[in-house]
Amino acid sequence: MRSTLMKMHDNGEINRIFRVICHGAWKKDTASDSVATSLHYDADSTLSIDAECLDAKCIQSIKIVSITESNAAEFLTTLDIQPFSPFLGINIRRYLMSTQHPVVGNSGNSKPLKANRDKGLFSAVIHVDFIHPTLSTLVSLDLEEPTKFQQLRAREKKACERRQQNDLEELRKGGLENVQNFNRKTERPIAYIIGEKEFFGMRFKVSPATLIPRSSTETLVKATLSMKEERLVYKSPIKVLDVGTGSGCLLLAIMNSIPGSVGVGVDISQEALNIAVINSTEHNLSERTSFQIGDMGRLQDSSDLLQAFDILVCNPPYLDSSKSAKLTSTFVGTEYEPPVALFAEKEGYSAYEMLAESIEQDLKSTSPHVILAPHGLVILEIGSGMGRRVREIFSFMKFERAVADSQDCERCLVFSVAPQA
């Protein structure tokens, strides 16, 4: 019987329906008052097959089962897909990947969600039918959807509700009460609406001239405090230089955690520096901080920076500028932030190269007045997958360690001034 069924399968005599969960929601264009608006197809809608996509000839029908909001993917769509027999699940995944709606998973032709990297592939057969080879009767089998499918949808829905509640609470902290209809997908970022953002337990003023502080950047603060305890426990005062300081949140959080420390923040934007000055005053750190215009590629041009700093921290722009349009549409709210603080050329590495050039020139200097002290540390934020290349760019320094963020992603690298041969 097994060989008979296999032959029937190869001959296209067995029909199957696959249930999958994929990234995103299908949009349709409609005309309203001669203005095109974009709406999503609803549950129970039947989608047309895009003949231009990979393996389109393998797909017989696609029906939307449900649409779930998702923080990571904006939406997750559950589909029932019937391929032409004998085509397989791989053909479905290839087609959906080609439509820019990859199946959730961590195998070939799929894309994981951050919170579900180890949950396997979200694709399963839920229906099979065929004509019995000897009885000539219809055999029809309906299978239960795997439990993990509903668990994923429920988890994503709950996470969205939790984020919405956090958004509303953040707005109320900023003095806005009647905000029940706030939608982060269509509104300006909350931080810009209320003019402030929490970072490392402190609240900082922000404006469209500054990057909005991210919780992932708190990894730099923690790494700095850890290295200070290891290497600079007896050094006082600790001198900190923050390159690309923006709102000053990184520098001020570090200084607030290290009593008696002094710091300088450098940025190419005077508007951003104006915000940083306000923040230093509000946190009673103005007597220990100063801010100045400067270019990370030419730090040595400023005599005020020749202070033999113990620690240099930097969260440079590292998103690939050639993909700026796609990235700003993917990451909600980034279209409102200053591009110079987000994007860099050379696939996102140009800022690292400019900073490395400044530091390398400083380390080669024979002058007694230098930017980095002989025991100096450089602590950098990096984007996902950038660690190896950034290590190469700073190969003239001694690599100390990589530090992961709360999502277990490599988030910052620590270097030290290499001993002179």
Side-chain angles (χ1 to χ4, degrees):
M1 178 63 77
R2 178 183 176 85
S3 61
T4 300
L5 290 174
M6 290 299 296
K7 184 177 180 181
M8 290 174 63
H9 174 272
D10 293 341
N11 290 337
E13 298 173 17
I14 297 180
N15 301 311
R16 291 146 305 151
I17 295 177
F18 287 76
R19 178 157 293 178
V20 303
I21 298 181
C22 63
H23 290 253
W26 267 260
K27 294 181 178 180
K28 58 182 178 180
D29 291 329
T30 60
S32 176
D33 296 328
S34 302
V35 178
T37 58
S38 181
L39 302 171
H40 296 122
Y41 283 99
D42 299 323
D44 296 325
S45 297
T46 298
L47 300 176
S48 58
I49 311 301
D50 188 343
E52 300 299 318
C53 290
L54 195 64
D55 282 6
K57 65 180 181 181
C58 306
I59 308 300
Q60 183 174 344
S61 66
I62 304 176
K63 182 179 180 180
I64 296 177
V65 177
S66 65
I67 302 172
T68 306
E69 285 192 283
S70 166
N71 288 335
E74 188 174 3
F75 293 101
L76 294 177
T77 301
T78 302
L79 301 172
D80 281 348
I81 302 183
Q82 182 173 359
F84 287 107
S85 187
F87 294 110
L88 304 170
I90 179 62
N91 303 107
I92 292 174
R93 298 200 303 274
R94 281 157 57 95
Y95 173 78
L96 291 175
M97 178 67 79
S98 184
T99 66
Q100 307 300 314
H101 294 286
V103 174
V104 175
N106 50 12
S107 58
N109 293 288
S110 65
K111 180 181 178 182
L113 284 173
K114 285 184 178 180
N116 291 273
R117 292 183 181 275
D118 59 345
K119 304 300 182 182
L121 186 67
F122 284 79
S123 174
V125 175
I126 63 162
H127 177 83
V128 178
D129 69 67
F130 57 90
I131 301 298
H132 195 283
T134 57
L135 301 178
S136 298
T137 57
L138 176 66
V139 177
S140 180
L141 300 173
D142 289 312
L143 307 173
E144 292 288 335
E145 175 190 84
T147 303
K148 69 178 184 179
F149 281 50
Q150 179 55 28
Q151 290 175 337
L152 173 62
R153 289 190 293 262
R155 186 163 48 245
E156 289 298 302
K157 180 180 179 181
K158 185 175 181 180
C160 281
E161 291 173 349
R162 186 165 55 247
R163 172 174 278 188
Q164 180 71 4
Q165 288 302 313
N166 291 340
D167 287 347
L168 296 177
E169 181 61 27
E170 188 72 8
L171 286 164
R172 292 187 186 104
K173 285 181 181 179
L176 301 179
E177 295 294 336
N178 300 317
V179 288
Q180 292 299 325
N181 295 323
F182 176 80
N183 185 343
R184 66 164 48 225
K185 298 182 181 71
T186 58
E187 302 279 357
R188 287 186 302 141
I190 291 175
Y192 290 156
I193 294 174
I194 65 176
E196 60 183 42
K197 176 70 174 177
E198 184 168 315
F199 179 79
F200 209 71
M202 305 166 68
R203 294 194 73 81
F204 293 94
K205 298 292 184 184
V206 295
S207 80
T210 68
L211 196 67
I212 297 172
R214 269 74 163 165
S215 58
S216 58
T217 302
E218 293 182 356
T219 309
L220 270 74
V221 182
K222 296 173 184 177
T224 300
L225 300 181
S226 176
M227 293 304 296
K228 183 265 180 187
E229 290 302 312
E230 287 185 30
R231 302 292 180 85
L232 303 168
V233 65
Y234 298 114
K235 176 74 169 60
S236 183
I238 298 294
K239 296 181 181 180
V240 183
L241 173 61
D242 180 15
V243 180
T245 194
S247 66
C249 65
L250 177 57
L251 175 64
L252 297 172
I254 291 170
M255 293 181 59
N256 190 60
S257 302
I258 304 177
S261 58
V262 294
V264 178
V266 175
D267 204 283
I268 60 172
S269 168
Q270 185 60 56
E271 288 182 273
L273 292 177
N274 292 341
I275 298 296
V277 169
I278 292 172
N279 284 323
S280 68
T281 301
E282 292 201 352
H283 289 288
N284 298 315
L285 294 168
S286 58
E287 292 185 1
R288 293 196 276 135
T289 58
S290 63
F291 297 95
Q292 66 178 68
I293 288 285
D295 186 336
M296 69 173 61
R298 304 187 62 84
L299 295 178
Q300 66 280 1
D301 288 355
S302 175
S303 59
D304 292 339
L305 299 183
L306 304 178
Q307 299 186 32
F309 288 95
D310 303 297
I311 301 171
L312 184 154
V313 294
C314 181
N315 177 18
Y318 54 72
L319 298 181
D320 186 350
S321 60
S322 68
K323 301 177 180 178
S324 59
K326 178 180 179 181
L327 290 169
T328 51
S329 64
T330 301
F331 298 105
V332 176
T334 51
E335 68 269 28
Y336 296 96
E337 297 185 275
V340 70
L342 286 172
F343 300 104
E345 296 180 349
K346 299 183 179 180
E347 299 180 318
Y349 292 101
S350 62
Y352 294 105
E353 292 180 353
M354 288 189 292
L355 179 61
E357 182 178 352
S358 281
I359 294 174
E360 189 168 19
Q361 287 187 33
D362 180 63
L363 297 182
K364 290 179 179 179
S365 173
T366 58
S367 169
H369 304 293
V370 292
I371 297 171
L372 277 176
H375 54 263
L377 299 168
V378 173
I379 305 177
L380 308 173
E381 178 165 326
I382 60 170
S384 177
M386 300 182 78
R388 183 186 62 81
R389 178 70 183 115
V390 175
R391 287 181 181 87
E392 292 175 356
I393 293 171
F394 286 83
S395 59
F396 60 91
M397 302 192 75
K398 179 184 178 183
F399 174 66
E400 294 287 345
R401 69 185 61 166
V403 183
D405 61 19
S406 60
Q407 300 296 318
D408 202 31
C409 293
E410 191 175 71
R411 185 55 59 193
C412 71
L413 303 180
V414 181
F415 301 90
S416 64
V417 175
Q420 297 298 313

Short mmCIF file of all heavy atoms in Angstrom, two decimals, residues 28-39:
data_model
loop_
_atom_site.label_atom_id
_atom_site.label_comp_id
_atom_site.label_asym_id
_atom_site.label_seq_id
_atom_site.Cartn_x
_atom_site.Cartn_y
_atom_site.Cartn_z
N LYS A 28 -4.14 45.50 -0.64
CA LYS A 28 -4.82 45.71 -1.91
C LYS A 28 -4.99 47.20 -2.12
O LYS A 28 -5.08 47.97 -1.17
CB LYS A 28 -6.18 45.02 -1.91
CG LYS A 28 -7.12 45.47 -0.79
CD LYS A 28 -8.43 44.71 -0.84
CE LYS A 28 -9.35 45.12 0.30
NZ LYS A 28 -10.63 44.40 0.28
N ASP A 29 -4.99 47.62 -3.35
CA ASP A 29 -5.16 49.04 -3.69
C ASP A 29 -6.61 49.27 -4.09
O ASP A 29 -7.15 48.58 -4.97
CB ASP A 29 -4.24 49.45 -4.83
CG ASP A 29 -2.80 49.46 -4.39
OD1 ASP A 29 -2.54 49.74 -3.21
OD2 ASP A 29 -1.92 49.17 -5.23
N THR A 30 -7.22 50.24 -3.43
CA THR A 30 -8.59 50.62 -3.80
C THR A 30 -8.62 52.11 -4.04
O THR A 30 -7.76 52.86 -3.59
CB THR A 30 -9.58 50.26 -2.67
OG1 THR A 30 -9.20 50.96 -1.47
CG2 THR A 30 -9.58 48.76 -2.41
N ALA A 31 -9.62 52.57 -4.74
CA ALA A 31 -9.76 54.00 -5.03
C ALA A 31 -10.91 54.57 -4.22
O ALA A 31 -12.02 54.03 -4.22
CB ALA A 31 -10.00 54.23 -6.51
N SER A 32 -10.63 55.64 -3.51
CA SER A 32 -11.67 56.32 -2.75
C SER A 32 -11.53 57.81 -2.98
O SER A 32 -10.50 58.40 -2.65
CB SER A 32 -11.53 56.01 -1.25
OG SER A 32 -12.46 56.73 -0.50
N ASP A 33 -12.55 58.40 -3.63
CA ASP A 33 -12.48 59.82 -3.99
C ASP A 33 -11.26 60.11 -4.83
O ASP A 33 -10.57 61.12 -4.66
CB ASP A 33 -12.47 60.68 -2.73
CG ASP A 33 -13.75 60.55 -1.93
OD1 ASP A 33 -14.82 60.33 -2.54
OD2 ASP A 33 -13.66 60.66 -0.69
N SER A 34 -10.97 59.17 -5.75
CA SER A 34 -9.86 59.30 -6.68
C SER A 34 -8.50 59.27 -6.00
O SER A 34 -7.49 59.58 -6.61
CB SER A 34 -9.97 60.60 -7.52
OG SER A 34 -11.19 60.60 -8.23
N VAL A 35 -8.47 58.92 -4.71
CA VAL A 35 -7.20 58.82 -4.00
C VAL A 35 -6.97 57.37 -3.64
O VAL A 35 -7.82 56.72 -3.04
CB VAL A 35 -7.20 59.67 -2.71
CG1 VAL A 35 -5.88 59.52 -1.97
CG2 VAL A 35 -7.44 61.14 -3.06
N ALA A 36 -5.83 56.84 -4.03
CA ALA A 36 -5.54 55.44 -3.76
C ALA A 36 -5.22 55.26 -2.29
O ALA A 36 -4.45 56.00 -1.71
CB ALA A 36 -4.36 54.98 -4.61
N THR A 37 -5.86 54.27 -1.69
CA THR A 37 -5.57 53.95 -0.30
C THR A 37 -5.21 52.48 -0.22
O THR A 37 -5.68 51.65 -0.99
CB THR A 37 -6.78 54.24 0.59
OG1 THR A 37 -7.90 53.47 0.12
CG2 THR A 37 -7.11 55.71 0.59
N SER A 38 -4.38 52.12 0.74
CA SER A 38 -3.92 50.75 0.87
C SER A 38 -4.64 50.08 2.03
O SER A 38 -4.64 50.57 3.15
CB SER A 38 -2.41 50.74 1.11
OG SER A 38 -1.95 49.42 1.22
N LEU A 39 -5.29 48.96 1.75
CA LEU A 39 -5.99 48.19 2.76
C LEU A 39 -5.52 46.76 2.71
O LEU A 39 -5.04 46.27 1.68
CB LEU A 39 -7.50 48.24 2.51
CG LEU A 39 -8.15 49.63 2.49
CD1 LEU A 39 -9.60 49.52 2.01
CD2 LEU A 39 -8.09 50.26 3.86
#
